[in-house]
Amino acid sequence: MKPIKVGLLGLGTVGTGVVRIVEKHQSDLESQVGSPIVIEKILVQNKDKARSISIDQHKLTDDVWEIIHNPEIDVIVEVMGGIELTRSYILEALSRGKHIVTANKDLMALHGPEILSKAQEHGCDVLYEASVAGGIPIIRTLIEGFSSDRIMKIMGIVNGTTNYILTKMSQEGADYSEVLKEAQALGYAEADPTSDVEGLDAARKMTILATLGFRANVALEDVDVKGISAISREDILYAKRLGYEVKLLGIAERQDDYISVSVQPTMVKRSHPIASVNGVFNAVYVYGEAVGETMFYGPGAGELPTATSVVADLVAVVKNLKLGVNGKQEKIAYKEKKLKTDEQIASKYYLLLHVADRAGVLARITQAFAEFEVSLESVLQQPNPSNPEAEIIIITHDANKASMKKVLNSLEDMEVVKTIKSVYRVEG
Amino acid sequence: MKPIKVGLLGLGTVGTGVVRIVEKHQSDLESQVGSPIVIEKILVQNKDKARSISIDQHKLTDDVWEIIHNPEIDVIVEVMGGIELTRSYILEALSRGKHIVTANKDLMALHGPEILSKAQEHGCDVLYEASVAGGIPIIRTLIEGFSSDRIMKIMGIVNGTTNYILTKMSQEGADYSEVLKEAQALGYAEADPTSDVEGLDAARKMTILATLGFRANVALEDVDVKGISAISREDILYAKRLGYEVKLLGIAERQDDYISVSVQPTMVKRSHPIASVNGVFNAVYVYGEAVGETMFYGPGAGELPTATSVVADLVAVVKNLKLGVNGKQEKIAYKEKKLKTDEQIASKYYLLLHVADRAGVLARITQAFAEFEVSLESVLQQPNPSNPEAEIIIITHDANKASMKKVLNSLEDMEVVKTIKSVYRVEG
């Protein structure tokens, strides 16, 4: 049978994994799709670079048009990363009728709607399972597995670097900066870790998941983002003492037709399944109106896990080719996007305050909560071991974000409140 | 657009859920598939029975042929259960070109290959996501999500009843018979609990999962089954003390091209993700050669979770109808089945022995393991609090099943060994 020819853009970590899997599982893939799958051309920056896999030199090219304009090539697998240039390549490839498999979360978060609409116009597939949570098939789960349900909430640990850091801080009582250095040495964090630790990487992934879950085009700027760099050893210690773990969670929620999406450090009750997802692992918790609680767990990155998702997408494209049904993916985002206002976003909160240690302080503070109708689940006042101030730890009942902002403003204005040390969302 | 007409066989728990979801999510479903989905006829035993949902009486029938021979009906959803009669209905429906969605694990475990081959012959779809692990989309995950990978191991908690019982025994230190009664009172266990507690239900589900994971037709009789009815409070107490939880695991493993499938009480290390799956929840852990460790967690039964999977399958059938590609599912089981011999099945074991409390006993016992080359990871001897015998707890290194059988025979023959109280596989 006529082989299916694939052009590969990029031969870094994931690209190498794709080559390995296609080679190693060739006979299984052929049994499934009925044709050999051949990686015909590979775009690289430097053809002469030493590589960990042996590749026919003639397959390598540093000219992207040799791939995009190659009439022999049916499918393009994009694992080079980058945004603007890559976008232009993909749009051009689509206009030439090439199907696309991509692992590029940045591209899909920023230009997903444009790319998917171009694909429909040209009858092409665009699949992007590997763009979120590496080896976990969460995208097909949301599109197909839960097609019948109404997704009400998605909570994701979708960034392995930050989960590694928080896990280490929790397990070893270590400081953030210390663990970050260690993660950098191990290659789990980049030299400039901003995109990971400030939550931007997670926000891009949540943009994609929220769009799929809520069937409305969520944009990156709709995501309220806060990273982990301000989390202290003390925060984690107190969380543990109260029965929580601190996790960087992407949270996408719907109420009626109104949605909100955020990425923020969150105190998760230890009994919640996502609380025990540790190290570089990822997990996506999905709550559906009918199905209830589900969770999908696995490796969020890495050569072979990510390549598994890329090649699974490739298999899907090839099956569609055989059936002649490429480009017939349903339109995902058929709903109008309606964002919640701060009045509509509700959650429990944890606060750690340093306050003056004198009579009447707790009364004044709790009065501020009462004034804006935020009710309290628990309050603990204790002496601060390291200075003459007292510590107050408060966990609220569900409170809306607008009211909480007013409470925080009011606390900030109080002379008796020395520092608002921490404010975290609470889940579970 | 022309509505898609569905015949529903059965209006019990799951059938009721299907009606509810199709009604409640009608506009979402229509947005996805482009046509209304109408439940045209419903097979019931008693048309006059009071029901928890309001249904047009004209849709109810007690004549199955009114559905199967109805030329208007495109898809049949089978949620009536049963094996032989149901099989004959489904084969007849397929021969009439009806597509099938079924939640029937017994049917698929026993007659899956026949039904799937009949479906191919007639260009029909047969989808059965709800047959294993209720609301968890594990079947499409194995077929599509991991199409690129080689699955090496599947471990499943796929029976909620037994997981509920074991969780209660672990959390409350309760006895098996006590918890079983409680589960029966709550409706989590049936009046005759045999199929659940003896592992038969789990074995049927593992037959389906192993077939999908290994792409070979695994039969129910290939599954080595042991249930939970012999598990004592003491077993669970000792397991916990050693850092394990006792779970009824379905385990399907591959080494090279040889496979084994079993259902058995297993001691799972507490750090393993499947160890913390509690209550009636299900989870399927999948280890792929490339992807590594993944786990899929959710409700294993119940009206709406199971119906979610049924209706997701219905959506898939309707999408195929729209594209004109029904019956083009790949052949799943394209590999020859090769079962491991007992010499090839390896795992760690836990043993609890009651022995005579005198000099030289431990030496004789450990000698029996050495003789058959089973090496020991840990050994603990302690007085038995309740009688004059001593207790010996042994955890082995990986040992093959054939050798372990020889060791057990040899222990049984020893006069100093009073009772082999427990033998469990150990994971993690």
Side-chain angles (χ1 to χ4, degrees):
Chain A
M1 279 148 295
K2 187 170 158 283
I4 302 295
K5 295 193 176 170
V6 177
L8 184 61
L9 307 186
L11 192 54
T13 305
V14 180
T16 304
V18 170
V19 173
R20 275 194 226 276
I21 290 181
V22 168
E23 269 176 20
K24 186 156 184 199
H25 297 172
Q26 184 60 235
S27 84
D28 269 306
L29 297 176
E30 197 173 333
S31 299
Q32 287 182 59
V33 300
S35 296
I37 293 179
V38 174
I39 295 179
E40 183 76 4
K41 277 279 173 197
I42 304 174
L43 177 70
V44 293
Q45 284 185 306
N46 175 358
K47 291 201 277 181
D48 301 318
K49 187 174 156 186
R51 307 200 177 266
S52 66
I53 41 171
S54 77
I55 288 188
D56 179 352
Q57 275 294 118
H58 293 100
K59 295 200 166 187
L60 302 182
T61 175
D62 51 17
D63 175 10
V64 71
W65 308 113
E66 241 192 87
I67 295 177
I68 291 177
H69 292 165
N70 185 332
E72 297 264 287
I73 285 176
D74 308 291
V75 189
I76 288 180
V77 172
E78 186 273 301
V79 288
M80 60 190 276
I83 301 179
E84 285 313 322
L85 200 59
T86 312
R87 166 178 163 270
S88 69
Y89 294 163
I90 285 184
L91 291 174
E92 171 69 10
L94 287 169
S95 75
R96 303 250 166 177
K98 311 284 188 217
H99 308 293
I100 306 288
V101 172
T102 175
N104 193 327
K105 64 187 172 293
D106 304 326
L107 185 69
M108 292 309 292
L110 293 171
H111 301 295
E114 179 191 19
I115 287 169
L116 294 172
S117 122
K118 183 90 170 180
Q120 278 215 317
E121 192 185 315
H122 293 276
C124 292
D125 287 342
V126 172
L127 298 183
Y128 49 101
E129 184 65 75
S131 67
V132 181
I136 309 173
I138 186 64
I139 289 183
R140 21 173 73 68
T141 295
L142 288 173
I143 297 179
E144 292 165 27
F146 294 142
S147 61
S148 55
D149 203 359
R150 188 169 305 179
I151 305 299
M152 304 308 289
K153 188 167 189 174
I154 301 173
M155 295 202 295
I157 293 179
V158 289
N159 179 274
T161 306
T162 48
N163 203 48
Y164 174 85
I165 293 173
L166 293 174
T167 302
K168 278 276 178 180
M169 286 176 75
S170 169
Q171 289 176 349
E172 298 172 8
D175 265 328
Y176 169 76
S177 56
E178 205 175 294
V179 182
L180 174 60
K181 263 183 222 140
E182 200 184 311
Q184 285 170 320
L186 286 166
Y188 291 159
E190 301 192 38
D192 175 1
T194 315
S195 161
D196 290 322
V197 300
E198 296 309 339
L200 305 175
D201 174 83
R204 287 168 176 181
K205 291 164 180 169
M206 290 309 297
T207 304
I208 297 171
L209 293 183
T211 297
L212 294 168
F214 302 145
R215 311 272 166 163
N217 273 323
V218 174
L220 185 55
E221 52 269 30
D222 301 329
V223 186
D224 194 20
V225 187
K226 192 175 151 193
I228 66 163
S229 55
I231 297 177
S232 68
R233 182 154 66 169
E234 192 185 24
D235 285 329
I236 289 185
L237 191 72
Y238 282 19
K240 282 171 79 110
R241 206 182 289 163
L242 295 164
Y244 294 88
E245 294 289 341
V246 179
K247 294 290 181 190
L248 183 68
L249 288 194
I251 304 179
E253 290 178 292
R254 153 151 75 181
Q255 199 168 14
D256 303 320
D257 274 338
Y258 290 86
I259 64 175
S260 63
V261 188
S262 65
V263 170
Q264 60 190 304
T266 305
M267 284 179 40
V268 187
K269 197 104 190 166
R270 203 168 292 134
S271 56
H272 193 286
I274 211 164
S276 49
V277 174
N278 286 327
V280 294
F281 275 91
N282 279 199
V284 181
Y285 168 94
V286 179
Y287 187 91
E289 194 176 65
V291 75
E293 291 195 284
T294 62
M295 195 175 84
F296 306 90
Y297 168 93
E303 177 186 313
L304 292 175
T306 309
T308 300
S309 286
V310 170
V311 181
D313 276 353
L314 183 55
V315 167
V317 170
V318 175
K319 284 182 188 167
N320 286 345
L321 270 171
K322 295 275 158 175
L323 297 174
V325 295
N326 302 92
K328 308 279 186 191
Q329 294 160 289
E330 59 178 299
K331 195 164 157 51
I332 295 293
Y334 54 80
K335 290 199 178 183
E336 188 195 344
K337 175 178 72 186
K338 295 181 195 165
L339 294 175
K340 286 188 194 178
T341 62
D342 280 359
E343 282 73 21
Q344 293 171 296
I345 299 176
S347 77
K348 292 165 72 169
Y349 287 90
Y350 159 97
L351 293 92
L352 172 59
L353 312 176
H354 285 187
V355 302
D357 196 356
R358 59 176 190 256
V361 169
L362 189 56
R364 288 191 53 195
I365 286 170
T366 52
Q367 178 54 32
F369 286 83
E371 192 184 336
F372 299 107
E373 296 186 338
V374 174
S375 65
L376 305 182
E377 181 184 293
S378 61
V379 178
L380 171 70
Q381 175 168 353
Q382 60 186 21
N384 184 332
S386 53
N387 66 39
E389 294 159 1
E391 284 184 346
I392 295 181
I393 293 168
I394 293 173
I395 294 182
T396 72
H397 286 296
D398 267 352
N400 77 60
K401 201 173 162 182
S403 299
M404 268 306 292
K405 279 186 180 167
K406 289 178 198 157
V407 171
L408 290 171
N409 284 338
S410 156
L411 293 176
E412 264 168 12
D413 290 345
M414 281 185 202
E415 181 262 336
V416 296
V417 175
K418 301 303 175 190
T419 331
I420 300 175
K421 288 289 286 182
S422 315
V423 182
Y424 296 125
R425 182 177 169 130
V426 175
E427 282 291 332
Chain B
M1 278 150 295
K2 187 169 158 283
I4 302 294
K5 295 193 175 169
V6 177
L8 183 61
L9 307 186
L11 192 55
T13 306
V14 180
T16 303
V18 170
V19 173
R20 274 194 227 276
I21 290 181
V22 169
E23 268 176 22
K24 186 157 185 200
H25 296 173
Q26 184 60 233
S27 83
D28 269 304
L29 298 176
E30 196 173 332
S31 299
Q32 288 181 58
V33 301
S35 294
I37 294 180
V38 174
I39 296 180
E40 183 76 4
K41 277 280 173 195
I42 305 175
L43 177 71
V44 294
Q45 284 184 306
N46 175 357
K47 289 200 278 181
D48 301 318
K49 188 175 156 184
R51 308 203 177 262
S52 65
I53 40 173
S54 76
I55 289 188
D56 179 351
Q57 275 294 116
H58 293 100
K59 295 199 165 187
L60 301 182
T61 175
D62 51 15
D63 175 10
V64 70
W65 307 113
E66 243 193 87
I67 295 176
I68 292 176
H69 291 165
N70 185 334
E72 297 265 287
I73 285 177
D74 307 292
V75 190
I76 288 179
V77 172
E78 185 275 300
V79 289
M80 60 189 276
I83 300 178
E84 283 314 321
L85 199 59
T86 313
R87 166 179 163 271
S88 69
Y89 294 163
I90 285 183
L91 292 174
E92 172 67 11
L94 287 169
S95 75
R96 303 250 166 178
K98 312 282 188 218
H99 309 292
I100 306 287
V101 172
T102 175
N104 193 327
K105 62 185 175 294
D106 304 327
L107 185 70
M108 291 309 292
L110 293 171
H111 301 294
E114 179 191 19
I115 287 170
L116 294 172
S117 123
K118 183 88 169 181
Q120 279 217 316
E121 193 185 314
H122 291 277
C124 293
D125 287 341
V126 173
L127 298 183
Y128 49 102
E129 183 65 75
S131 67
V132 181
I136 310 173
I138 186 64
I139 290 183
R140 21 172 73 68
T141 295
L142 289 172
I143 297 178
E144 292 165 28
F146 294 143
S147 60
S148 53
D149 203 359
R150 189 169 305 179
I151 304 301
M152 303 308 288
K153 188 168 188 172
I154 300 173
M155 295 203 295
I157 293 179
V158 289
N159 180 274
T161 306
T162 47
N163 202 48
Y164 174 85
I165 293 173
L166 293 173
T167 302
K168 277 276 178 180
M169 287 176 75
S170 170
Q171 289 175 349
E172 298 172 6
D175 264 328
Y176 168 76
S177 56
E178 205 176 292
V179 183
L180 173 59
K181 263 184 222 138
E182 200 185 312
Q184 285 170 320
L186 286 166
Y188 292 159
E190 301 193 38
D192 175 1
T194 315
S195 161
D196 290 320
V197 302
E198 296 308 340
L200 304 175
D201 174 83
R204 287 169 177 180
K205 292 164 179 167
M206 289 309 297
T207 304
I208 296 171
L209 293 183
T211 296
L212 294 167
F214 302 145
R215 311 272 164 162
N217 273 323
V218 174
L220 185 56
E221 53 268 30
D222 301 329
V223 186
D224 194 19
V225 188
K226 192 176 153 194
I228 66 163
S229 56
I231 297 177
S232 69
R233 183 154 65 170
E234 191 185 27
D235 285 330
I236 289 188
L237 191 72
Y238 283 19
K240 282 171 79 107
R241 205 181 290 163
L242 295 164
Y244 294 88
E245 294 289 341
V246 178
K247 295 290 179 189
L248 183 66
L249 288 193
I251 303 178
E253 291 178 292
R254 153 151 73 182
Q255 199 168 15
D256 302 321
D257 274 337
Y258 290 87
I259 64 177
S260 63
V261 188
S262 65
V263 170
Q264 60 189 303
T266 305
M267 283 178 39
V268 187
K269 196 104 189 170
R270 204 168 292 134
S271 56
H272 193 285
I274 211 163
S276 49
V277 174
N278 286 327
V280 294
F281 274 92
N282 278 198
V284 182
Y285 168 94
V286 179
Y287 187 91
E289 194 177 67
V291 75
E293 290 195 284
T294 63
M295 195 175 84
F296 307 90
Y297 168 92
E303 176 187 313
L304 292 175
T306 309
T308 300
S309 287
V310 170
V311 181
D313 275 353
L314 183 55
V315 167
V317 169
V318 176
K319 284 183 189 168
N320 286 345
L321 270 171
K322 295 276 157 175
L323 298 174
V325 294
N326 301 92
K328 307 280 185 189
Q329 294 160 288
E330 58 179 299
K331 196 166 156 49
I332 295 292
Y334 54 80
K335 291 200 178 181
E336 188 195 344
K337 175 179 72 186
K338 295 181 196 165
L339 294 174
K340 287 188 192 179
T341 61
D342 280 359
E343 281 73 22
Q344 292 171 295
I345 299 175
S347 78
K348 292 165 73 169
Y349 287 90
Y350 159 95
L351 293 92
L352 171 60
L353 311 176
H354 285 188
V355 302
D357 196 358
R358 59 174 189 255
V361 169
L362 189 57
R364 288 193 51 196
I365 287 170
T366 52
Q367 178 53 32
F369 286 83
E371 191 184 336
F372 299 107
E373 295 186 337
V374 174
S375 65
L376 306 181
E377 181 184 291
S378 61
V379 177
L380 170 70
Q381 175 168 351
Q382 60 187 22
N384 184 333
S386 54
N387 67 39
E389 294 160 1
E391 285 184 346
I392 295 181
I393 293 167
I394 292 173
I395 294 181
T396 72
H397 285 295
D398 267 351
N400 77 57
K401 200 173 163 183
S403 299
M404 268 307 293
K405 278 185 180 165
K406 289 179 198 155
V407 170
L408 290 171
N409 284 337
S410 155
L411 292 176
E412 263 166 13
D413 290 345
M414 281 185 202
E415 180 261 336
V416 297
V417 175
K418 301 303 175 189
T419 332
I420 300 175
K421 290 289 285 181
S422 315
V423 182
Y424 296 125
R425 182 176 168 130
V426 175
E427 282 290 332

